[in-house]
């Protein structure tokens, strides 16, 4: 019975449960996934989701890994003149915006490193300050989210297309424009969290809510804050006791962590749900906007897309949540808390979104590094 628990959970979550012959042994699929930079099934998924050839998918993944490693160095080189950065999928290069204050030598250093340099009207600090002023405004439900966007040099505000002309939306936008430069983007729906009522055969339950495991940490796993309150009991796919929420924050943030015991333990794996090989987790380097990213969740399983924006404020009905990352990956109720991963780098846990995996949509995640820092946790890596 104990071994059946292990095998069943390995196919449904990031955690291997129960006892194997050697504690910490990885599932075969996860071991195979780590043998090469990109597995055959991951390349197939990239080709399908982005319309690429195999060689194009390989080149993009290689370029994204390089850009992710280069991004913090470019930021440091630009210094106070840094205006933001993003990955350009057309050129397969990192783009860094700098203000007029950047010297010719700084620009040359960036170019020599392989970066495309653009001139920005405003620094990232100025844009983030404008966004912080918008954060202090009370947004109506038809205003979905907002973020500082270096490519436009403005705070991009998403509003529901059918409600864009409503008086409360227009009043909010008028106040936002006083806070700084604004670009309005019209979207199909409002943001909502992605927890779901209890259904059978899924990774974990708390009360009558089903959510998804995010990433293994030493001593437990991280997930979404809206899935449970501190001390709430957590049960696995088979309703056996796993542990309790040790910390949880929602709204303002959307993160939580659960301790693991009672014969359950953690492994550094993200489930591919048969769409791709189970993925090993090797770190948590931040993927810049424009890079590809994939999500694993208990309802809609494995889907991929691109990072659209960092540090976005999302206006849920329960209250605003800050510092989320925006993607065009689809998600559905029950996917909350699930893992976002770029290559083998953990990115964050699913918070909410709009749309679904039939018609498409957008989804946000809480960045993993903030969760680790907040609770003093260590990511379990291969």
């Amino acid at each position: 019975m104990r071994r059946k628990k292990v095998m069943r959970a390995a196919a449904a979550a990031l955690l291997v449960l129960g006892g194997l012959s050697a504690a910490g042994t990885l599932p075969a699929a996860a071991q195979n996934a780590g043998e090469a930079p990109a597995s055959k099934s991951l390349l197939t998924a990239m080709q399908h989701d982005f319309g690429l050839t195999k060689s194009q998918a390989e080149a993009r993944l290689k370029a994204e890994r390089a850009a992710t490693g280069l991004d913090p160095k470019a930021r440091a080189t630009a210094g106070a003149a840094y205006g933001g950065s993003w990955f350009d999928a057309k050129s397969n290069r990192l783009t860094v915006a700098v203000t007029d204050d950047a010297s010719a030598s700084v620009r040359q250093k960036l170019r020599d490193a392989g970066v495309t340099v653009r001139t920005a009207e405003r620094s990232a600090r100025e844009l983030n300050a404008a966004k912080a002023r918008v954060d202090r405004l009370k947004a109506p439900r038809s205003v979905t989210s907002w973020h500082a966007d270096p490519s436009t040099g403005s705070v991009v505000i998403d509003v529901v297309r059918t409600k864009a002309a409503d008086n409360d939306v227009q009043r909010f936008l008028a106040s936002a424009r006083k806070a700084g430069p604004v670009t309005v983007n019209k979207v199909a729906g409002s943001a909502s969290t992605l927890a779901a009522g209890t259904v059978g055969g899924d990774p974990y339950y708390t009360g009558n809510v089903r959510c998804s495991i995010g990433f293994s940490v030493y001593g437990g796993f991280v997930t979404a804050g809206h899935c449970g309150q501190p001390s709430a009991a957590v049960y696995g796919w088979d309703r056996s006791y796993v542990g309790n929420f040790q910390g949880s924050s929602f709204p303002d943030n959307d993160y939580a962590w659960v301790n693991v015991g009672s014969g359950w333990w953690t492994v550094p794996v993200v489930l591919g749900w048969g769409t791709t090989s189970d993925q090993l987790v090797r770190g948590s380097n931040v993927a810049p906007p424009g890079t590809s990213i994939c999500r694993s969740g208990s309802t809609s399983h494995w889907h991929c897309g691109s990072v659209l924006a960092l540090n976005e404020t999302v206006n849920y009905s329960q209250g605003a949540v800050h510092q989320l990352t925006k993607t065009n990956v689809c998600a559905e109720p029950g996917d909350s808390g699930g893992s976002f991963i770029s290559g083998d780098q953990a990115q964050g846990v699913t918070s909410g979104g709009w749309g679904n995996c039939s018609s498409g949509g957008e989804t946000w995640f809480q960045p993993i590094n903030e969760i680790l820092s907040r609770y003093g946790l260590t990511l379990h890596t291969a």
Side-chain angles (χ1 to χ4, degrees):
M1 177 67 183
R2 192 172 172 84
R3 185 168 178 79
K4 288 182 180 178
K5 180 192 287 186
V6 176
M7 296 175 68
R8 176 60 186 81
L14 302 184
L15 302 179
V16 171
L17 318 178
L20 291 174
S21 57
T25 300
L26 297 177
Q31 291 173 335
N32 292 338
E35 291 174 359
S39 66
K40 179 180 178 182
S41 50
L42 177 58
L43 289 172
T44 300
M46 291 285 291
Q47 292 173 67
H48 176 268
D49 290 336
F50 292 100
L52 304 174
T53 65
K54 180 183 177 181
S55 60
Q56 288 172 333
E58 289 174 332
R60 175 161 176 171
L61 288 171
K62 182 179 179 180
E64 288 179 348
R65 284 193 295 272
T68 298
L70 182 58
D71 191 40
K73 300 173 186 176
R75 185 189 300 257
T77 299
Y82 178 74
S85 54
W86 61 94
F87 180 78
D88 183 354
K90 292 182 179 179
S91 65
N92 272 354
R93 289 163 63 95
L94 182 70
T95 297
V96 174
V98 294
T99 64
D100 288 333
D101 295 334
S103 65
S105 62
V106 165
R107 293 171 185 265
Q108 192 57 50
K109 285 180 182 179
L110 291 171
R111 294 190 184 97
D112 290 344
V115 166
T116 299
V117 179
R118 277 197 190 178
T119 299
E121 290 186 23
R122 301 169 184 86
S123 69
R125 180 176 295 181
E126 291 172 321
L127 279 180
N128 288 332
K131 178 189 172 290
R133 290 191 288 271
V134 177
D135 283 344
R136 292 193 284 270
L137 302 176
K138 183 173 177 57
R141 284 289 301 125
S142 299
V143 175
T144 299
S145 62
W146 53 93
H147 69 275
D149 178 39
S151 66
T152 62
S154 65
V155 177
V156 174
I157 300 177
D158 286 357
V159 301
V160 178
R161 182 176 295 109
T162 57
K163 304 290 185 179
D166 288 1
N167 290 337
D168 56 350
V169 173
Q170 289 301 309
R171 281 194 295 269
F172 175 83
L173 293 177
S175 297
R177 290 186 176 100
K178 295 177 182 178
V182 164
T183 299
V184 178
N185 183 43
K186 297 177 182 179
V187 298
S190 298
S192 62
T193 55
L194 297 167
T198 298
V199 296
D202 288 296
Y204 83 86
Y205 302 90
T206 179
N208 66 343
V209 171
R210 168 172 61 84
C211 281
S212 301
I213 293 167
F215 290 94
S216 294
V217 296
Y218 286 99
F221 65 83
V222 294
T223 186
H226 69 264
C227 290
Q229 296 295 315
S231 78
V234 172
Y235 300 89
W237 66 271
D238 60 353
R239 299 294 180 165
S240 65
Y241 174 73
V242 176
N244 296 78
F245 278 87
Q246 298 297 301
S248 178
S249 178
F250 180 80
D252 187 27
N253 306 293
D254 194 3
Y255 50 58
W257 84 280
V258 175
N259 70 316
V260 167
S262 302
W264 298 61
W265 76 80
T266 65
V267 291
V269 175
V270 172
L271 189 66
W273 292 100
T275 301
T276 186
S277 301
D278 295 350
Q279 302 294 299
L280 287 175
V281 178
R282 299 189 184 278
S284 57
N285 293 331
V286 178
T291 52
S292 62
I293 194 166
C294 297
R295 182 193 55 73
S296 183
S298 61
T299 298
S300 58
H301 299 170
W302 181 272
H303 289 274
C304 299
S306 299
V307 177
L308 299 181
L310 307 180
N311 190 24
E312 178 145 292
T313 299
V314 179
N315 187 35
Y316 294 129
S317 61
Q318 301 94 329
V321 175
H322 303 92
Q323 296 180 319
L324 298 184
T325 298
K326 180 181 185 177
T327 77
N328 59 9
V329 185
C330 68
E332 297 181 355
D335 287 328
S336 276
S339 43
F340 267 89
I341 187 167
S342 181
D344 58 9
Q345 299 296 304
Q347 298 299 310
V349 300
T350 303
S351 174
W354 60 266
N356 55 53
C357 290
S358 296
S359 60
E362 294 176 336
T363 306
W364 291 267
F365 66 81
Q366 181 84 62
I368 183 71
N369 290 331
E370 181 182 357
I371 309 172
L372 299 177
S373 175
R374 168 64 180 83
Y375 294 118
L377 302 170
T378 300
L379 185 67
H380 193 166
T381 58

